[in-house]
Amino acid sequence: MRISAKADYAVRAAAELAASSSGGRPVKGEQLAEAQGIPHKFLENILADLRQAGLVRTRRGAEGGYALTRDPSEIAVADVLRAVEGPLAAVQGTRPEGLRYRGAAARLPEVWVALRANLRAVLEHVSLADLAAGDLPESVATLTTTPDAWQPH
């Protein structure tokens, strides 16, 4: 699976907003960009997607900026990814449950559905609060301890 720069930046910016949310004050886009090393113009487009998805709100003015619309514990990494990239698993723009193949590939839609289920098992169980606190759920942290988890294949 390939994680685009847009998806990576979106999750990093959302985690930064979660970490900054304790005071309830909005965070400037420039501050988010600098904190995470994200190009500011690119980040503004990402934040617009997050706003359109209802995850982020904006406030104008000197005291303005960006803030999460819900508590960070209620926003999963999956929510952020869907906001900027669409469904977690799509094959040529089609959800896997809608695919039909013939012959030797007939069971391939089941593989894509299983892949989506595994993505959900991780991405829907890690919240922005988890990231901001640096404390992953045990089920996710355990996956990183398998002998070949960090090895490229």
Side-chain angles (χ1 to χ4, degrees):
M1 181 180 165
R2 182 179 172 277
I3 305 295
S4 69
K6 183 177 185 179
D8 180 54
Y9 290 166
V11 174
R12 289 167 48 197
E16 196 67 37
L17 282 173
S20 303
S21 70
S22 60
R25 292 187 1 221
V27 180
K28 299 277 187 205
E30 298 86 8
Q31 184 181 345
L32 288 172
E34 186 175 323
Q36 287 297 318
I38 300 171
H40 183 251
K41 287 289 188 190
F42 195 15
L43 179 60
E44 291 292 334
N45 292 329
I46 291 167
L47 291 167
D49 288 343
L50 295 177
R51 185 172 52 87
Q52 187 170 351
L55 299 176
V56 168
R57 68 175 175 270
T58 60
R59 185 189 313 165
R60 294 196 180 275
E63 297 296 316
Y66 297 90
L68 297 174
T69 58
R70 301 189 311 255
D71 188 274
S73 65
E74 297 175 7
I75 301 174
V77 170
D79 298 325
V80 176
L81 293 176
R82 287 183 187 110
V84 297
E85 297 283 8
L88 292 179
V91 179
Q92 299 182 42
T94 301
R95 293 177 187 261
E97 67 273 11
L99 297 171
R100 301 291 178 266
Y101 299 125
R102 294 184 294 218
R107 305 268 328 253
L108 191 53
E110 293 171 75
V111 173
W112 300 145
V113 168
L115 171 68
R116 180 179 61 190
N118 276 298
L119 287 171
R120 285 176 174 169
V122 173
L123 300 174
E124 289 182 350
H125 292 95
V126 178
S127 72
L128 296 181
D130 295 330
L131 291 178
D135 188 25
L136 297 177
E138 187 176 334
S139 63
V140 174
T142 298
L143 292 172
T144 68
T145 64
T146 60
D148 70 340
W150 294 89
Q151 299 300 316
H153 291 275

